[in-house]
Amino acid sequence: MLIPHEDVEKQRLLNILGELSSTWALRKPVIVDAKRYIIIDGHHRVNVMKILGAKHIPVVLADYSSDISDVGGWMYIASRGYKDQELLEKAIREAEYSAKRGDGILVFKMGGEVVKTRVDRIDFYLAIRELGLYNIFNSLTKIPINLNTCLTHDICLAPPKLVVDDIYRVASKNILLPPRTTCHKTALKGVAMEFKLKQL
C-alpha cells in the first residue's frame, strides 16, 4: 500500500486525468520510498490511477540515503505590482502566528523588508492547510526554494524546508501536507517507461 504525505490539487488532478484518458498510457512511474512505501513523487498520478480503476500502479523504489539528493521545497514570488499584497501579508502573519516555534526558517520579503522567523517546519504547513491559505500562496509564482533568488524579488515567501524525518513523521501519522509541499531532487524523475492502462 502506497502512503501519501501530500494532498493533491484538484485542477492538476483533472489535467492528468484528461491526459491519461486520451493517451491511455502512464509514461512515468511513481517514485516511492523503499523502506516505508511513502510516495516521494507522483501523488497526483496515484490518485488518477485509482480514479481510473487501476489495480496496479507502476513504481520505482528509492532510497532516501542514496537516490534522493534533497527533499527540496517551493517558494512563492511576485513583482511589486501584485494586487493582493495586504491579503498575502495577512495570510503569512496568520500562518506564522498559528504555527509553533521551532528550528525551521520562514523568510518573507515585501516592500524591501525581509522578515525571518523560526517556526516548526511541519506545523507551518499544517497551519497553511488548516487556515485555508493554500490558494492565496498558490496565486503567486511557484519556484524551487533558493534563498538567494528569493531576496532578488520584490515579494517572496520561502517556507521552511522539510527534511526526510519530517516526511516519515507526517506519513506515519496519516497527515497530509498541502499539495506539492516538497520538490524532491532525484535522477529517478528522469525514468520514463510507458505503461498501457489496460494492463494495469
Side-chain angles (χ1 to χ4, degrees):
M1 181 163 131
L2 302 181
I3 302 169
H5 70 276
E6 294 177 354
D7 205 346
V8 295
E9 295 171 332
K10 184 177 180 182
Q11 189 56 53
R12 186 168 169 79
L13 191 75
L14 292 173
N15 291 347
I16 294 172
L17 181 59
E19 180 185 312
L20 287 179
S21 296
S22 66
T23 63
W24 289 101
L26 181 68
R27 292 197 168 85
K28 284 179 71 175
V30 174
I31 302 172
V32 175
D33 170 55
K35 292 180 185 173
R36 302 183 189 182
Y37 300 110
I38 298 168
I39 300 167
I40 292 172
D41 183 68
H43 286 85
H44 290 85
R45 280 172 276 154
V46 167
N47 280 274
V48 167
M49 296 299 286
K50 288 178 181 178
I51 290 169
L52 294 174
K55 293 184 172 113
H56 307 285
I57 298 174
V59 302
V60 172
L61 297 178
D63 184 329
Y64 264 112
S65 62
S66 60
D67 296 319
I68 310 295
S69 61
D70 189 9
V71 171
W74 298 94
M75 66 183 192
Y76 305 87
I77 58 171
S79 63
R80 184 170 293 139
Y82 178 70
K83 61 181 172 125
D84 292 324
Q85 288 186 30
E86 285 182 30
L87 181 63
L88 175 63
E89 187 168 8
K90 181 180 177 199
I92 291 168
R93 298 289 179 223
E94 281 183 46
E96 175 190 356
Y97 179 76
S98 298
K100 295 182 281 193
R101 298 297 144 238
D103 59 0
I105 307 263
L106 167 68
V107 177
F108 178 52
K109 179 185 176 192
M110 183 180 283
E113 180 186 2
V114 178
V115 177
K116 295 182 181 180
T117 308
R118 291 200 167 272
V119 292
D120 180 88
R121 292 184 304 266
I122 294 173
D123 209 47
F124 179 77
Y125 288 102
L126 294 180
I128 289 172
R129 185 183 170 106
E130 288 167 19
L131 295 168
L133 303 176
Y134 178 74
N135 288 334
I136 294 170
F137 298 148
N138 211 28
S139 69
L140 302 167
T141 302
K142 188 178 195 177
I143 62 174
I145 286 180
N146 179 316
L147 291 182
N148 291 331
T149 302
C150 178
L151 298 177
T152 66
H153 287 83
D154 297 322
I155 298 171
C156 179
L157 167 65
K161 198 170 89 164
L162 299 173
V163 297
V164 175
D165 286 343
D166 295 333
I167 305 301
Y168 284 149
R169 228 168 86 210
V170 296
S172 70
K173 294 180 179 183
N174 294 322
I175 295 170
L176 291 179
L177 297 170
R180 303 179 75 203
T181 298
T182 60
C183 178
H184 286 81
K185 295 178 184 169
T186 174
L188 295 175
K189 287 186 179 182
V191 173
M193 297 180 266
E194 187 168 292
F195 304 93
K196 298 292 183 188
L197 293 186
K198 62 183 177 184
Q199 298 169 335
L200 302 174

